[in-house]
Amino acid sequence: MARFRLRASLAVLVLALVSVAGGVVAATQSSDEQALQPTRQQADRDVERRVNRLLARMTLQEKLEQIQLLPDFLVTEDEVRRGLGSVLSVTDPVRIRELQRIAVEESRLKIPILFAFDTIHGFRTVFPIPLGAGASFDPQVAFDDHKYGARESAVVGLKQTYAPMVDVSHEPRWGRIAEAAGEDPYLNSVMAAARVKAIQGDDYSAPDKLVASPKHLVAYGEPEGGRDYNTTDLSEQRLRNLYLPPFKAAIDAGADTAMCSFNAINGVPGCANDYTMNEILKGEWRFDGFVESDWTAVSELRACPPRNPDQGECGHGVAADGPEAAALALNAGVDSEMTSTLIRDFGAELLRQGRIEMRRIDDAVRRILRVKFRAGLFENPYAPVPPDQAEAEMLKPDAVAAARNAASRSMVLLRNEGGVLPLDPDKKTAVIGPLARNQHDMLGPWWGAGRDTDVVTVLDGIDQQNTAATTYAEGCKLSNTEPPHTDPEGCGSDAGFAEAVEVAEAADQVVLALGETREMSGEAAARSTLDLPGRQEELLRAIEATGKPVAVVLFSGRPLALENIVDDAPAILQAWFPGVQAGPAVADVVFGKVNPGGKLPVSFPRRLGQTPIYYNHEPTGRPCNPDVKWNSRYRDIPSCSPLFVFGHGLSYTTFEVSDLRLSSSTVSRNGRLEASVTVRNTGDRSGDEVVQLYLHDPVASISQPVRRLRGFERVTLDAGQSRTVTFTLDKSDFGFWDNRGRFVVEPGRIDVYAGNSSSAELTESFTVRR
Ligand code: BGC
């Protein structure tokens, strides 16, 4: 959708009309457009003066220390006295306070430390994983996640979060697909912007705000084979049309730091990439904050075997040794080096040799100090509450309620044959499966400071809302082992199946909690199959064979390939990893207190061999036709589609999307038009629908995706109620980036599709005039 360049106050345009029983009332801008509203602020002259004054007093060694960012297990008090710039992953408020005290009292220039942490989906109040929040199609869910995550992080003295993770991905084998909003650049952009606004607010010096760091620049989400850190080769147009937009949205929302990625694109590692960091981020986008390298990404630039320093693992092979890696990273735009210490250690030597310039060191330090001044650290270096009061600020009722709401809004009803769901809370309910009485896995990967003991299990959640008896059987046990191992996933035995069947038979209905462990997702957690781990498919069949109504609740950090079970599971609720309120949120949806309204942010393939499969693919000269040879098809799959398409999700009620109208049939290249569509709840209970708008450019200088999402709105409607949703379209929607890095708006027809999934059928067209 259009990114309004007007001031926020002007931009709350009245765009939509809401028709409710008995009248028509005005609505405001759609929530995706509101989230994308740019809020980046101008540089403040006073801050710039203070930065320059401080920089003028710094020695070279103090500047190199500012550039250094060390993790909890490497930080020393002596290093802090020497002027260490930043620290990551210390979360103990007592330790943070002491290190900060040393920095502001005992270092020569008294420059405060910036404390950082991966608050990815909650600090202590863990929210659903970001892929789940993506499924909510509700920017408020992403906003709430980081609003409370920032508040709880700030309370212990943290001031930066390595979030949002905004890597678009077509690669379900990759464990980190769990960490962003899936396969679509527009959905990721909306969620990224909402997250940044929640993390930073208008002014991140506020006591409950942090500075955000979108990561990982860029295209880290497409590692070949799905193996983490692996290489990526991609065209300029894909880089700009698919992978950069969420970063741009995050920067426009004000993000003041960013993280470069481990992986190489087109042979150039993310933290040695002059083009993406210097030219695009700092040049084209005028980003004046700083870039930190990911973990040891700077030292990973070295050759294999590495020389000088001659220890450590093999690297990308774009630098012969440590000094060359330091020079390459700094010159390409890295301002702060995480974990490895090459810029600090070799900076002076490199400067003497003329391989780096003082100007560039000053620029890096200026960026870091600018963020520290904007963060208010010089005035308030300490946490807003004393360390012994931090615990009382965790898991407060407002945060826990928001986590529960977010979890239930993230759930996607994939299937509900015969209306199995919702179950009846007055009937005897068996809760079965390896994830039924489980706290650990519900937190998902990147659980922040979350504790297993904070989690309400599915079993307890169901039990609390079930007025009849709730019973339990595990069925089989999943495993969390790392290599060397013989059974990395578990559920390899059927020894518990008989007991599970007995428990199912004694109940009136069954909730079957299946899926992955949290260790199967996240960093360095690629899987070579998308099947349900172990013998869970067999467990499902055994329970189905009892003839009881069974609702499968699936937990995973990626799309699973459900082809083998779909016919055996009439009701499937995709719950992702829901966080601390897993149990209550599952019970809310399973018993119908909450009507599910989430939609898939990624395509669910039929089987692994179909991947990568994504809705916004380019057309081919031989479009897929499973029945005819010489087409782009698999000869052993009688379908071209995924099992569940992007944007799919059912409800306990039904909706009709109709009446797609355009405000004009033509538009100038710089003009705009409106597309409106009416959605009606045609069922007999209140529920949510996500209205989705897609565009397609049928004739363009480079082949355009068959569909691109350009607008969505999640609406709640009572039975019989309808609403008209209006989206604004401009060149940001009908233009595209070409392979020379130019944004082009070409004249010609544009097709518009509207509906409630990426298979939307309502269509209209308009023409972009010459
Ligand atoms: C991850 C980053 C994370 C960093 C610090 C790295 O291994 O790739 O996403 O922010 O560690 O924890």
Side-chain angles (χ1 to χ4, degrees):
M1 283 301 101
R3 307 251 183 87
F4 288 81
R5 310 256 166 228
L6 302 174
R7 299 231 327 255
S9 55
L10 287 176
V12 186
L13 298 174
V14 176
L15 293 178
L17 290 180
V18 184
S19 57
V20 289
V24 175
V25 296
T28 49
Q29 195 178 13
S30 59
S31 58
D32 57 340
E33 292 177 3
Q34 265 174 42
L36 287 173
Q37 198 75 51
T39 45
R40 190 161 193 87
Q41 293 172 11
Q42 297 290 325
D44 176 302
R45 286 221 189 112
D46 184 45
V47 165
E48 298 304 304
R49 265 195 296 272
R50 292 174 77 187
V51 168
N52 286 331
R53 267 205 301 270
L54 183 52
L55 189 69
R57 295 172 57 210
M58 294 173 79
T59 64
L60 172 61
Q61 212 43 49
E62 282 166 335
K63 291 176 185 173
L64 295 173
E65 282 290 352
Q66 266 318 292
I67 288 174
Q68 187 62 52
L69 159 60
L70 288 178
D72 47 353
F73 62 93
L74 290 181
V75 64
T76 65
E77 297 186 354
D78 276 348
E79 182 108 24
V80 174
R81 283 186 193 96
R82 287 197 292 272
L84 176 66
S86 317
V87 170
L88 78 141
S89 295
V90 177
T91 54
D92 171 10
V94 176
R95 180 79 179 139
I96 290 181
R97 197 176 176 89
E98 176 56 9
L99 291 174
Q100 192 68 299
R101 187 198 64 72
I102 296 171
V104 299
E105 290 181 8
E106 298 179 19
S107 72
R108 189 181 76 92
L109 292 172
K110 310 191 179 339
I111 302 175
I113 293 174
L114 181 67
F115 288 93
F117 188 59
D118 292 280
T119 301
I120 308 292
H121 54 109
F123 182 73
R124 184 71 184 277
T125 306
V126 177
F127 275 62
I129 55 169
L131 190 60
S136 74
F137 276 72
D138 179 2
Q140 188 66 41
V141 164
F143 187 93
D144 284 350
D145 170 355
H146 277 293
K147 173 178 155 187
Y148 296 108
R151 188 175 83 183
E152 292 184 348
S153 305
V155 151
V156 299
L158 296 164
K159 207 60 196 172
Q160 183 189 22
T161 175
Y162 298 140
M165 202 278 221
V166 299
D167 292 315
V168 168
S169 183
H170 298 159
E171 191 34 272
R173 285 171 292 185
W174 187 51
R176 302 196 80 170
I177 198 171
E179 290 175 48
E183 75 190 29
D184 182 68
Y186 185 75
L187 178 61
N188 264 291
S189 298
V190 171
M191 293 300 178
R195 287 181 188 274
V196 169
K197 289 177 184 178
I199 294 166
Q200 296 194 172
D202 296 337
D203 171 4
Y204 57 85
S205 71
D208 57 350
K209 295 295 168 198
L210 314 172
V211 60
S213 191
K215 65 187 186 185
H216 308 80
L217 198 70
V218 54
Y220 178 51
E222 299 302 345
E224 283 186 359
R227 281 185 296 117
D228 211 353
Y229 320 119
N230 203 11
T231 202
T232 306
D233 200 280
L234 82 163
S235 63
E236 180 69 20
Q237 68 91 1
R238 279 204 168 194
L239 173 70
R240 290 189 177 260
N241 288 315
L242 290 180
Y243 303 104
L244 285 172
F247 285 95
K248 177 68 162 58
I251 301 303
D252 284 349
D256 243 357
T257 63
M259 187 186 290
C260 55
S261 66
F262 285 125
N263 67 310
I265 49 172
N266 307 334
V268 184
C271 294
N273 201 324
D274 175 70
Y275 181 53
T276 53
M277 291 189 286
N278 282 339
E279 213 172 309
I280 297 178
L281 175 66
K282 294 179 179 177
E284 287 175 31
W285 299 351
R286 300 175 182 210
F287 168 78
D288 65 358
F290 74 80
V291 178
E292 72 268 342
S293 63
D294 198 350
W295 201 247
T296 43
V298 176
S299 74
E300 289 173 27
L301 301 178
R302 294 174 304 164
C304 177
R307 290 185 281 127
N308 186 27
D310 59 1
Q311 76 249 357
E313 285 153 20
C314 295
H316 284 283
V318 293
D321 52 22
E324 196 174 325
L328 188 58
L330 189 73
N331 289 333
V334 169
D335 303 298
S336 172
E337 182 179 352
M338 192 192 293
T339 307
S340 58
T341 58
L342 302 179
I343 299 176
R344 182 196 69 187
D345 296 349
F346 299 111
E349 179 189 320
L350 290 166
L351 203 56
R352 270 195 307 277
Q353 295 169 345
R355 292 161 73 189
I356 59 172
E357 291 182 2
M358 196 60 186
R359 251 193 344 203
R360 173 65 191 111
I361 293 184
D362 282 350
D363 173 51
V365 176
R366 200 174 267 122
R367 288 169 178 274
I368 294 165
L369 294 178
R370 183 178 290 135
V371 168
K372 289 186 174 185
F373 277 111
R374 288 179 182 168
L377 282 171
F378 288 85
E379 292 75 24
N380 298 303
Y382 298 114
V385 303
D388 62 353
Q389 287 172 30
E391 181 63 21
E393 300 299 315
M394 303 297 160
L395 292 162
K396 289 189 129 179
D398 55 350
V400 172
R404 177 173 178 168
N405 179 51
S408 63
R409 286 179 82 74
S410 297
M411 290 177 196
V412 183
L413 185 61
L414 294 177
R415 204 161 186 256
N416 197 18
E417 289 304 302
V420 172
L421 281 168
L423 299 181
D424 184 342
D426 298 328
K427 287 190 171 163
K428 279 189 285 179
T429 309
V431 186
I432 295 174
L435 294 162
R437 191 171 67 187
N438 178 302
Q439 294 180 300
H440 178 82
D441 294 308
M442 296 297 113
L443 296 179
W446 293 105
W447 51 90
R451 299 181 189 165
D452 292 358
T453 48
D454 296 333
V455 175
V456 183
T457 66
V458 173
L459 176 62
D460 287 345
I462 295 284
D463 190 34
Q464 282 158 16
Q465 294 189 33
N466 188 6
T467 58
T470 306
T471 49
Y472 163 73
E474 188 178 32
C476 62
K477 198 177 277 305
L478 285 163
S479 133
N480 284 328
T481 51
E482 281 294 316
H485 51 63
T486 48
D487 180 19
E489 304 204 319
C491 269
S493 160
D494 64 358
F497 288 13
E499 185 207 349
V501 166
E502 218 172 279
V503 169
E505 269 166 354
D508 301 320
Q509 53 193 9
V510 181
V511 174
L512 189 54
L514 304 177
E516 300 181 309
T517 65
R518 77 183 193 196
E519 281 76 13
M520 293 177 202
S521 285
E523 191 173 349
R527 290 183 71 212
S528 67
T529 159
L530 302 177
D531 293 344
L532 269 177
R535 298 176 67 174
Q536 293 183 84
E537 290 182 4
E538 286 172 57
L539 175 62
L540 164 64
R541 283 188 202 107
I543 301 299
E544 274 298 327
T546 63
K548 301 286 174 180
V550 178
V552 173
V553 182
L554 265 188
F555 299 90
S556 70
R558 55 165 61 76
L560 295 174
L562 304 173
E563 184 184 48
N564 291 342
I565 65 157
V566 75
D567 292 335
D568 298 315
I572 308 177
L573 181 69
Q574 175 67 36
W576 316 104
F577 291 116
V580 284
Q581 285 288 293
V586 166
D588 287 344
V589 175
V590 159
F591 288 135
K593 213 192 250 183
V594 171
N595 193 345
K599 301 280 180 175
L600 290 182
V602 280
S603 309
F604 271 43
R606 292 170 192 277
R607 61 181 87 150
L608 176 63
Q610 274 187 310
T611 62
I613 185 165
Y614 45 95
Y615 87 93
N616 49 353
H617 62 86
E618 288 88 357
T620 72
R622 305 271 180 99
C624 182
N625 179 342
D627 304 325
V628 183
K629 198 169 163 67
W630 317 119
N631 279 310
S632 182
R633 57 157 193 163
Y634 293 100
R635 69 195 296 273
D636 56 350
I637 304 183
S639 165
C640 295
S641 61
L643 189 59
F644 297 111
V645 299
F646 175 89
H648 166 77
L650 304 173
S651 165
Y652 300 152
T653 182
T654 49
F655 293 94
E656 182 188 78
V657 181
S658 64
D659 221 7
L660 171 61
R661 274 160 297 148
L662 303 178
S663 61
S664 168
S665 59
T666 68
V667 66
S668 68
R669 291 177 192 212
N670 289 316
R672 59 170 64 157
L673 74 163
E674 283 166 11
S676 49
V677 63
T678 301
V679 52
R680 203 168 105 79
N681 183 340
T682 49
D684 55 9
R685 62 196 294 163
S686 161
D688 286 11
E689 182 58 293
V690 179
V691 182
Q692 303 167 41
L693 193 86
Y694 296 85
L695 293 193
H696 173 52
D697 183 344
V699 184
S701 56
I702 56 174
S703 196
Q704 287 300 295
V706 295
R707 287 192 179 187
R708 292 190 295 130
L709 179 72
R710 297 308 302 174
F712 62 85
E713 180 79 312
R714 180 168 175 158
V715 295
T716 303
L717 296 173
D718 289 336
Q721 198 183 16
S722 66
R723 179 177 299 184
T724 298
V725 180
T726 301
F727 302 103
T728 305
L729 298 170
D730 70 6
K731 64 181 175 193
S732 69
D733 303 294
F734 44 77
F736 58 88
W737 295 91
D738 71 9
N739 272 316
R740 292 189 188 159
R742 294 174 312 200
F743 188 76
V744 293
V745 185
E746 297 182 345
R749 194 182 96 208
I750 301 286
D751 297 331
V752 183
Y753 296 90
N756 56 8
S757 81
S758 57
S759 310
E761 282 177 357
L762 280 180
T763 184
E764 281 291 333
S765 311
F766 64 91
T767 302
V768 180
R769 294 193 297 267
R770 284 190 180 279

